Amino acid sequence: PLAALVRMLQDIMRDISPFLVVLGLLALAFTNAFTVLHSDSFHGMPIWQIIGSIIMKFYLMTLMATFDMDDFDNGIGVLLFVLSTFLMVLVSLNLLIAIMSDSVDRVQEQGIVSKYREKAS
């Protein structure tokens, strides 16, 4: 039973690795878009502080749902927020659940087949 669980976790991690790469690239793209949108508020700050500030703000906005509507003073900001929330939270988490479910089903089917092979030999 423990071997099957380990096998399942290995397969899940292998299956979701491309998904995590795409999710990371999507997060970087929206972070870059928000940085460009709010570039006027970062004058005089070092680049590492700007990047950290934007990443933290994006994380809080999309995953923790804490945001201030004053950050979205134009239509582009609102559109980016809606797109990032929809893509990063709703679509990507549902896709992750589907990928993990398929992995678990596949491992369980392989376990049943290998159990019958052992009984036959």
Side-chain angles (χ1 to χ4, degrees):
L2 182 60
L5 180 62
V6 170
R7 173 74 178 169
M8 186 181 312
L9 289 175
Q10 287 174 339
D11 282 359
I12 287 173
M13 292 308 292
R14 188 186 70 239
D15 290 344
I16 67 170
S17 59
F19 167 78
L20 293 176
V21 170
V22 171
L23 185 66
L25 290 173
L26 193 62
L28 285 175
F30 279 114
T31 302
N32 186 33
F34 282 114
T35 303
V36 169
L37 193 62
H38 296 290
S39 62
D40 56 341
S41 61
F42 297 118
H43 290 291
M45 291 174 66
I47 189 69
W48 59 269
Q49 197 173 18
I50 294 171
I51 292 170
S53 173
I54 290 294
I55 289 174
M56 183 57 78
K57 182 178 264 191
F58 181 71
Y59 169 75
L60 291 173
M61 227 177 12
T62 57
L63 296 178
M64 305 305 271
T66 56
F67 57 91
D68 187 11
M69 285 307 289
D70 295 335
D71 292 338
F72 311 112
D73 52 354
N74 57 17
I76 295 173
V78 173
L79 178 68
L80 278 175
F81 174 71
V82 169
L83 278 174
S84 67
T85 303
F86 181 73
L87 288 175
M88 296 292 293
V89 178
L90 297 176
V91 173
S92 62
L93 287 180
N94 283 324
L95 181 60
L96 179 63
I97 291 169
I99 290 170
M100 292 174 69
S101 176
D102 287 345
S103 297
V104 168
D105 290 343
R106 189 180 66 245
V107 169
Q108 287 176 345
E109 287 174 8
Q110 290 172 353
I112 292 170
V113 169
S114 65
K115 183 174 81 170
Y116 286 125
R117 279 188 188 154
E118 288 177 16
K119 284 184 178 182
S121 52

